[in-house]
Amino acid sequence: MVTIPADGHLDKIRKGYSSDGPAVHLGAAMLDGESHPDAPVRLPIAMMNRHGLVSGATGTGKTVTLQVMAEQLSAQGVPVFLADIKGDLTGLSSPAAGSDRLRQRTQSVGQRWSAKAFPVEYFSLGGDGKGVPVRARISDFGPLLLARVMGLNETQESSLQLVFYYADKNDLELYNLADLRAVISFLTSDKGKDALESLGGLSRSTAGVILRELVTLEAQGMDKFFGETEFDTAEFLRLAEDGRGIISCLELPTLLARPALFSTFLMWLIADLFAELPEVGDIEKPKLVFFLDEAHLLFRNASDAFLESIMTTVRLIRSKGIGIFFVTQTPKDVPSEVLGQLANRIQHALRAFTPDDAKALRATVSTFPTSAYDLEEVLTIAGTGEAVVTVMTERGAPSPVAWTRICAPESTIGPSPAATVERIVQESPLLPVYAPVVDSHSAFEKLSAIPAPTHDGGPGTNGGTRTDTSGSSVPRTQADIDAEARRIEESILGRPSSRPATRTPAPLPDWRPMPPSGQQQQREPAGSRASAPGQPAPERRAPKRQAPGQSGKPGKKDDTADLIKDVAVQAATVLGRELVRGLFGTRRRRRRW
């Protein structure tokens, strides 16, 4: 099984996995089925932003490996994100129970073990399940990711991008599915004919197909995942009071029948972090390690544009302090362009029951560095909780391949009691922030000619309201909108805005259809759009922004200078709209981190 003397092989592993900085203790090296605790296998934490892959057949121990890694990262002050597909990872909230079998295991890998519970925050997509709701505005989610959820082909995906472009250019806020449906309905109506023709590449028939798919999504209850209050991915970067990294656990058991939805939502979370986080280069430990489970679902039937966006994100997000670990069954589930970016590999056992399995096994072996092991044999005989490992060392070279017995978790293997999870969710400081459902004045109301309500609930022309769970309104005033517009202009131009502090509300554009005579179109009520009774919605915490620095000195300007300034402002506004979307068409939120 090993082509060099055992002592020489163990010495090579000891040297290859030595680490001067903090590291995750994965386990102990194995030879001929026996573990050697004096040859520990470690993954340097500083190298975890070089990304990785955890793979293996069902039942070989991938979930427990994730649990071990999450525990040790948390203990060393690194926040972690996990997608909990089956509900097993809630055990992180409860200390494990000791046993003789557990003691033998920890001794065999040289592990200093003690039972512990870890700081965990539970999340759920749109409140579907136990956890703090995670929602995204449609405009921030973007057309590429939404096309994945809707199952559109590449032509329809391109057409959807034109719809988003039209909404951006015409100040039609897309917060939820009803807003997007309203825009597409308008474009396919007689009143929207000219606007549709102006888009060029968007045909009425394709827009109709997209509209039907959108209605299907709403009929399936997926509207609850989109809207406000939108989740701020900065919440994943928090530390507990004792300095441990908080483990963010997205609970997905109720979404097993919608794999495209949850896998795409995970990519949105990564894309949002990529768009918003500043460059930090190489740092001692990552800001966040993100485990992307069921990764094969992300790449299945993906368009070229979507794959290109994933590859670019994985390649560039490392310098922003984020490490991504893809979790799947075989390396062939991940495109080679992405696989080439994953420096850390933890490969659990594979089964070769069919010719296709044997082919996948050989392909997996070919992706590892040259090894003293017969990897085809090792990967078929490795037991549960054992894996073949190679990582990026602190000097930037791959470590020797090591057949490894993985450490035991210090928290419970399997789910925590339901009462424990419920208590953690109810005590979360994030619940009152993200639980309320807000219905702001947006594209639906604008295209339905429904005036934005004022503070007293009457008709008005300000930018909209946010409704808290008690039924009261917090106005989103025109002054607020003007202030945001001035801030964006200043951030683009690098000097004070020429936009006045207040402006007179403009009349509705001619393209907005009027309601039928004698009646006013109202948005249909839906349970997912109603606020939870009895819970007030505190104002969402807005990150502090620094005022842009002023350039130049005030002085007298002639008419030509004013004209040039006005043209520059208009051009900058258009440019800003074009640059505001990221790799996946997601909208940047321009936060200050």
Side-chain angles (χ1 to χ4, degrees):
M1 189 179 299
V2 178
T3 60
I4 61 177
D7 290 341
H9 183 68
L10 291 176
D11 286 341
K12 188 176 180 181
I13 288 177
R14 291 187 191 101
K15 182 179 179 180
Y17 287 91
S18 63
S19 176
D20 296 329
V24 171
H25 181 199
L26 292 174
M30 298 182 66
L31 286 177
D32 299 323
E34 297 294 328
S35 64
H36 295 262
D38 59 335
V41 175
R42 300 187 181 97
L43 197 171
I45 288 180
M47 295 293 107
M48 294 191 77
N49 67 343
R50 266 61 171 185
H51 313 313
L53 177 72
V54 180
S55 54
T58 301
T60 55
K62 296 191 301 294
T63 300
V64 174
T65 298
L66 298 187
Q67 188 170 345
V68 169
M69 296 174 71
E71 289 179 351
Q72 295 192 39
L73 287 167
S74 173
Q76 299 188 65
V78 179
V80 177
F81 176 91
L82 294 167
D84 190 7
I85 305 297
K86 297 175 291 184
D88 293 342
L89 291 171
T90 60
L92 285 159
S93 299
S94 303
S99 66
D100 291 339
R101 183 179 178 184
L102 176 62
R103 191 175 302 107
Q104 292 174 0
R105 174 82 178 200
T106 58
Q107 289 175 352
S108 71
V109 297
Q111 180 182 4
R112 296 179 179 177
W113 186 92
S114 62
K116 294 185 183 73
F118 291 83
V120 182
E121 190 81 68
Y122 292 103
F123 297 93
S124 62
L125 287 185
D128 191 0
K130 293 182 179 180
V132 175
V134 174
R135 303 184 193 90
R137 290 176 176 174
I138 286 289
S139 59
D140 293 343
F141 198 72
L144 286 183
L145 295 176
L146 185 61
R148 283 283 294 167
V149 174
M150 297 172 67
L152 302 182
N153 61 34
E154 292 196 28
T155 300
Q156 295 160 352
E157 179 185 282
S158 299
S159 298
L160 184 62
Q161 292 183 61
L162 290 175
V163 174
F164 274 69
Y165 171 80
Y166 175 80
D168 284 349
K169 297 284 286 185
N170 291 276
D171 298 322
L172 295 171
E173 300 87 352
L174 302 178
Y175 292 159
N176 46 44
L177 292 181
D179 290 325
L180 183 58
R181 175 162 49 82
V183 172
I184 299 176
S185 296
F186 166 71
L187 290 173
T188 55
S189 69
D190 291 338
K191 291 185 178 181
K193 183 186 303 182
D194 293 340
L196 183 68
E197 291 178 356
S198 70
L199 292 178
L202 177 61
S203 69
R204 185 166 184 169
S205 59
T206 302
V209 171
I210 296 173
L211 183 60
R212 287 195 296 272
E213 293 297 331
L214 202 59
V215 171
T216 300
L217 282 186
E218 291 184 281
Q220 293 174 347
M222 292 194 186
D223 53 338
K224 72 180 73 172
F225 306 116
F226 301 101
E228 299 179 294
T229 303
E230 184 177 61
F231 186 75
D232 188 343
T233 50
E235 307 290 5
F236 293 147
L237 309 182
R238 296 177 302 135
L239 300 178
E241 292 182 359
D242 59 5
R244 291 185 295 174
I246 291 179
I247 301 172
S248 299
C249 199
L250 183 64
E251 294 300 302
L252 297 170
T254 61
L255 294 179
L256 290 177
R258 302 170 184 170
L261 175 65
F262 74 71
S263 63
T264 309
F265 239 97
L266 295 182
M267 201 65 225
W268 170 71
L269 297 174
I270 294 174
D272 191 69
L273 288 166
F274 173 77
E276 301 296 339
L277 282 172
E279 296 282 337
V280 295
D282 290 327
I283 52 180
E284 182 180 355
K285 55 187 179 183
K287 291 184 176 181
L288 175 72
V289 175
F290 196 107
F291 291 95
L292 208 163
D293 208 352
E294 301 292 339
H296 63 283
L297 299 173
L298 194 63
F299 304 107
R300 182 182 296 168
N301 300 323
S303 67
D304 291 340
F306 186 78
L307 288 175
E308 181 64 30
S309 296
I310 294 177
M311 288 184 285
T312 303
T313 301
V314 172
R315 186 171 66 251
L316 299 180
I317 202 172
R318 176 186 70 81
S319 63
K320 300 196 174 191
I322 304 295
I324 302 173
F325 278 69
F326 293 86
V327 185
T328 187
Q329 293 198 358
T330 70
K332 70 181 182 64
D333 294 334
V334 181
S336 58
E337 296 86 350
V338 176
L339 192 63
Q341 302 291 326
L342 312 182
N344 302 297
R345 301 281 301 280
I346 302 174
Q347 176 67 59
H348 287 266
L350 293 173
R351 309 306 180 206
F353 297 138
T354 68
D356 286 343
D357 291 340
K359 183 178 179 180
L361 175 61
R362 289 191 295 273
T364 299
V365 170
S366 69
T367 63
F368 278 87
T370 303
S371 169
Y373 292 105
D374 180 349
L375 290 183
E376 283 196 38
E377 180 183 358
V378 170
L379 287 176
T380 54
I381 67 172
T384 301
E386 298 173 2
V388 172
V389 175
T390 181
V391 303
M392 180 73 75
T393 65
E394 290 173 327
R395 62 186 184 90
S399 67
V401 176
W403 179 11
T404 306
R405 178 168 292 167
I406 303 296
C407 289
E410 296 180 316
S411 58
T412 298
I413 297 177
S416 285
T420 299
V421 176
E422 182 65 24
R423 175 183 56 80
I424 292 172
V425 172
Q426 293 302 318
E427 293 176 354
S428 170
L430 301 183
L431 189 63
V433 178
Y434 296 107
V437 177
V438 177
D439 192 1
S440 300
H441 194 75
S442 51
F444 182 94
E445 288 80 8
K446 289 182 177 181
L447 292 171
S448 303
I450 301 174
T454 58
H455 185 62
D456 60 2
T461 54
N462 50 339
T465 63
R466 57 183 300 162
T467 305
D468 68 16
T469 50
S470 62
S472 62
S473 297
V474 181
R476 184 175 163 218
T477 64
Q478 189 65 47
D480 292 336
I481 296 174
D482 285 345
E484 180 68 6
R486 290 195 301 274
R487 185 191 65 75
I488 293 174
E489 181 181 318
E490 289 169 348
S491 68
I492 294 173
L493 297 179
R495 59 170 174 75
S497 171
S498 61
R499 186 181 294 269
T502 58
R503 70 181 183 195
T504 303
L508 291 173
D510 293 337
W511 46 258
R512 296 180 181 174
M514 297 300 293
S517 176
Q519 72 181 69
Q520 187 178 40
Q521 184 179 358
Q522 297 291 337
R523 191 181 298 214
E524 68 276 10
S528 62
R529 301 177 58 80
S531 300
Q535 281 190 331
E539 186 66 31
R540 182 173 175 176
R541 299 166 296 174
K544 296 182 180 179
R545 297 185 174 95
Q546 300 173 352
Q550 296 186 0
S551 60
K553 296 181 180 180
K556 186 176 180 180
K557 297 183 176 67
D558 56 21
D559 292 342
T560 302
D562 288 339
L563 178 60
I564 293 174
K565 179 182 70 175
D566 290 341
V567 172
V569 169
Q570 294 177 22
T573 301
V574 174
L575 180 62
R577 287 196 185 110
E578 299 305 315
L579 295 179
V580 79
R581 293 200 173 274
L583 290 170
F584 290 91
T586 54
R587 186 192 294 275
R588 293 197 63 183
R589 289 186 262 180
R590 300 179 182 271
R591 293 189 293 255
R592 297 288 186 184
W593 294 75

